[in-house]
Amino acid sequence: MDDDLVTRLKAYEGHRAAVAGTGKDPVNLPMIRHWCEALGDTNPAYSGPDAVAPPTMLQAWTMGGLTGHTGRSPAYDELLALLDESGCTSVVATDCEQEYLRPLRPGDEITFDTVIESVSGRKTTKLGTGHFVTTRTDVRVGGALVGTHRFRILKYAPARQRKKPPRPRPVVNRDNAGFWEGVEQRRLLIQRCTACATLRFPWLPGCAHCGGPDWDTVEANGGGTVYSYVVMHHPPFPAFTESDHGADAAGPYAVVLVELAEGVRMISNVVGTPYDKVRIGMPVRLEFRVYDDDLVLPVFRAAEEDA
Ligand code: ZN
């Protein structure tokens, strides 16, 4: 039965998911500016009369928005429907890979084709059992290939959670190891460029302001305010829910962007405040919460406004 399903899924490999799609807008400076503002990318290559688009915007030019894009072919929808029918009703984007052949410039008119490159056999992950689907989008300008974008999703049948799962572990790498060493010592460390003294958070290998590679750290004093927040309703993630409703509870929770007293912002949680009572401008105070034997995270708690 499963083998039969895999055969039917694999039959979609090589089929088109989009044919001769066109970008909804030519490459343009306003979208580039919004992107750079959202990411805090101040690279001068992306502004001014000779601006190019950030390479990682490649996918943005092909996006169809709420109304979809031209050129969508039925094969991809059929494949997803087949996976839905087999019980793989959930979806998560797992990763993407991009290749850039030349920079995109304002005025470039995008066309693209998307092919279903591969459908995996049955895989079991912590989320559940399902199939990885990889699509490859070839992006062209004037018929010439300018970049490719591979996008992989997992369509899966969600695993039944019997007990509250642990919080996901942070990804610690050589660029941010110092931050996590600070957390172990219950210190929230902010990187500071030793060339221009610009503070940066999250940790990065170089200074976005001057490009300098050298840095030291300053310890946050722990004060801050909620700069913005979102409330996650779906999908439910029991690991992120305060456990006052029992082990199976997976209710909404707030993700906050805290502006630290030092001026940089970090994503965290406000503990001790119901998700629907979190407000922009709320003064908060840093604390370190022990989640389990090997997970301590910097979180925030509502602070009384200092008189
Ligand atoms: Zn600098």
Side-chain angles (χ1 to χ4, degrees):
M1 185 70 186
D2 276 354
D3 286 350
D4 179 50
L5 175 66
V6 171
T7 304
R8 291 171 67 200
L9 294 173
K10 290 261 181 202
Y12 283 92
E13 289 183 347
H15 284 228
R16 297 283 166 184
V19 179
T22 53
K24 288 216 156 174
D25 297 287
V27 174
N28 63 85
L29 281 172
M31 276 174 69
I32 293 172
R33 182 168 54 77
H34 287 301
W35 172 283
C36 289
E37 284 184 3
L39 271 68
D41 192 333
T42 56
N43 189 319
Y46 307 143
S47 61
D50 299 319
V52 298
T56 49
M57 280 188 80
L58 188 65
Q59 187 192 16
W61 309 115
T62 69
M63 284 180 158
L66 290 178
T67 52
H69 56 65
T70 57
R72 192 172 172 107
S73 97
Y76 193 62
D77 293 331
E78 286 171 22
L79 172 60
L80 297 186
L82 182 56
L83 284 159
D84 283 338
E85 285 165 23
S86 76
C88 296
T89 52
S90 294
V91 64
V92 62
T94 58
D95 59 293
C96 90
E97 297 163 26
Q98 296 185 329
E99 292 170 70
Y100 316 116
L101 280 76
R102 74 135 165 100
L104 290 172
R105 295 192 168 77
D108 281 344
E109 305 257 6
I110 296 294
T111 59
F112 59 94
D113 296 283
T114 303
V115 66
I116 299 166
E117 198 169 62
S118 65
V119 186
S120 80
R122 189 179 148 92
K123 302 283 185 189
T124 297
T125 72
K126 281 188 176 171
L127 288 172
T129 296
H131 300 266
F132 289 94
V133 177
T134 306
T135 52
R136 188 192 75 239
T137 299
D138 294 328
V139 180
R140 294 186 175 82
V141 173
L145 190 66
V146 294
T148 64
H149 171 77
R150 271 192 186 75
F151 194 68
R152 191 166 296 118
I153 61 169
L154 173 66
K155 279 283 281 176
Y156 64 99
R160 283 261 161 263
Q161 294 289 355
R162 287 191 176 71
K163 63 183 178 61
K164 188 179 167 84
R167 297 270 295 208
R169 309 290 105 169
V171 176
V172 181
N173 56 41
R174 63 182 177 182
D175 292 330
N176 68 12
F179 172 75
W180 293 105
E181 285 160 16
V183 169
E184 274 177 29
Q185 302 160 13
R186 307 299 191 264
R187 300 169 73 212
L188 184 66
L189 298 179
I190 302 166
Q191 270 181 315
R192 176 173 57 191
C193 173
T194 49
C196 76
T198 300
L199 298 179
R200 62 178 189 261
F201 195 94
W203 283 40
L204 291 167
C207 176
H209 183 67
C210 78
D214 299 320
W215 51 271
D216 60 6
T217 59
V218 294
E219 181 174 355
N221 72 16
T225 53
V226 173
Y227 185 82
S228 189
Y229 66 95
V230 293
V231 174
M232 280 291 294
H233 290 267
H234 291 286
F237 285 111
F240 289 108
T241 304
E242 294 289 307
S243 59
D244 48 356
H245 305 294
D248 289 333
Y253 61 94
V255 179
V256 297
L257 182 64
V258 172
E259 184 161 273
L260 301 179
E262 290 76 14
V264 295
R265 297 173 195 154
M266 71 177 286
I267 292 170
S268 184
N269 293 121
V270 173
V271 298
T273 298
Y275 71 89
D276 55 354
K277 296 287 188 280
V278 173
R279 291 290 177 267
I280 288 173
M282 250 174 85
V284 291
R285 181 106 214 125
L286 172 70
E287 68 179 48
F288 289 92
R289 175 170 272 212
V290 178
Y291 282 91
D292 55 48
D293 287 346
D294 51 11
L295 185 65
V296 177
L297 294 175
V299 296
F300 293 84
R301 185 178 289 279
E304 295 302 315
E305 281 186 76
D306 292 336

